Amino acid sequence: MRVSSILGRASKLFNEYPSYSKFLVLFAVSTGGAVAYSESQQGIGAQYSEAKQTELEKKKMVVLGTGWAGISFLKDLDPTMYDVKVVSPRNYFAFTPLLPSVTCGTVEARSIVEPIRNIMKKRSGEFDFCEAECVKIDGEKKKILCRSTFENSAVSTREFFLEYDYLIIAVGAQVNTFNTPGVLEHCHFLKEVEDAQRIRNTVIDCFEQAVLPGLSEEERKRNLHFVIVGGGPTGIEFAAELHDFVKEDVGKIYPKVQDLVKITVVQSGDHILNTFDQRISEFAEKKFSRDGIEVLTGCRVVSVSADSITMDVKLTRETRSLPAGMVVWSTGVGTRPVINDFMEQIGQGKRRVLATDEWLRVKGCNDVFAIGDCATVDQRKVMDDILAIFEAADEDHSGTLTIKEIKDVVDDILVTYPQVELYLKSHHLKDVKDLWKDADGKDREEVDLEGFKLALSHVDSQMKNLPATAQVAAQQGTYLAKCFNRVKECKDTPEGPRRFSGAGRHKFLPFRYKHLGQFAPLGGEQAAAELPGDWVSMGHSTQWLWYSVYASKQVSWRTRVLVVTDWTRRFVFGRDSSRI
């Protein structure tokens, strides 16, 4: 009765005063809203706390360099897993294979560069970029010293330290002068975009100076003699670009001096393009001869002056001087000072380049990795591990290996030591088991340690250092990024080969370079290509293949469109000869 009486009075009250009912509804909603708001704030607070904790748990990763290796690494790395900082003195990535095209105006410099921040903003995570140069690496304290230098700036040079848990060294290399006198003072190089722009301006200057009145014909000839030291891909492509510029544009722009132009390639080896198939080297030499490009092989440059080079000729053992209006030095790469200093710290001071293991980890440093031209993979020799391999395969400890025991370790041997596969191919052997056949070509039932050593004694002769090319650097960057993305997964379930010198397996498969071919543009809309499977292609059709491949390899649609537009502009209007 009492409850019904209370409900009756409440009903009468709300009927007589409707505003009270509204107040009750508002109170109920507000109370529920307050509860809901409180719960939501607790949820948001929990999420924020969890995100903050995750942020603190992220390991610090510093990436040095924004070249082929560094950019390939950053493009494939999952940035949500690490606190990533990128340090480079350049805030852009340059498509270096097209640098020779920039030197003569075939392609504009800005068409082959992409700002680093444009690349970063496309990733689903955060990268911090510092436009500075790393000048010191402290492996023991796990920090680096950086220096920022901005010309014509109110801010003076500033130095700062960055700490790291993982350090990725991808600083590339610098030009190797071989300590030849006069090279630094009088030669042009072709490693950076700025180098290509300087060469372009100098080429135009040489022609403009040659048409000035009052010069003798000898002075005009010397001014228009372009010498390229080095017969590798970069030097040969620049010579071809320069020849096309002279043939297609100079006659229209500088008709009076067109016949005075001379291009000479100086090569210390016996052939140009000696890293290519012999058929390509011969084709290039014959084409250059037809085009009037002089190729001097077996000549080593010993000094360079403002208007000439001096070289030793191997065949005649004489010293010869060659007048020159411009000299481009393209003879290989050397190690940067910061890497030389770091190598001294870690006991690699006697090496010419930073050594890494098969997983691209710097030898002697657990958390430092090096990719690209600044490093080389120091592949382990089979004969250094032959006893450990034998003991790992000898499961019954009998002192001999059966065919079954050999089969159990074959796959791990092929993965860990790529030289074994190269040896099999070079000797036309179908299977690694063929190494253990007897003199009559029959399979042996058992192999002892000496027989095992004898079978593998020559495979290390196939070991080769990887070339310092963009292709190698890009593949290394991609491989290392994928390893970092799968650290947790592969820690629980390793995917690598067995450890012959210890228990268990390696976390990851070792890096394996896959050669996808290489091009050599030779001018006159002709190119040569070395393709996988021992395929060689030369001629006009190969040039169009070069166009399509290089357009597709651009890092963005922006640069892809700009490069294709530049090629089209050159076909329609010719090359731009202005000096800006």
Side-chain angles (χ1 to χ4, degrees), residues 304-321:
V304 181
S305 66
D307 57 2
S308 67
I309 67 168
T310 304
M311 56 188 181
D312 290 338
V313 182
K314 183 169 63 175
L315 185 63
T316 61
R317 295 184 179 180
E318 63 177 0
T319 300
R320 178 183 171 188
S321 183

Side-chain angles (χ1 to χ4, degrees), residues 459-502:
V459 298
D460 289 329
S461 63
Q462 296 296 315
M463 293 176 62
K464 296 179 180 178
N465 289 330
L466 296 176
T469 63
Q471 191 176 160
V472 172
Q475 290 186 28
Q476 288 180 336
T478 299
Y479 162 83
L480 191 59
K482 290 179 179 178
C483 289
F484 273 102
N485 291 344
R486 303 176 65 242
V487 164
K488 293 181 180 179
E489 177 185 341
C490 291
K491 185 177 181 180
D492 298 331
T493 55
E495 64 179 13
R498 74 166 71 182
R499 299 176 184 270
F500 290 117
S501 299

Side-chain angles (χ1 to χ4, degrees), residues 277 279-280 517-518 528-538:
D277 188 279
R279 292 167 288 180
I280 292 179
Q518 53 185 343
E530 192 176 76
L531 304 173
D534 199 32
W535 281 79
V536 170
S537 176
M538 295 171 284

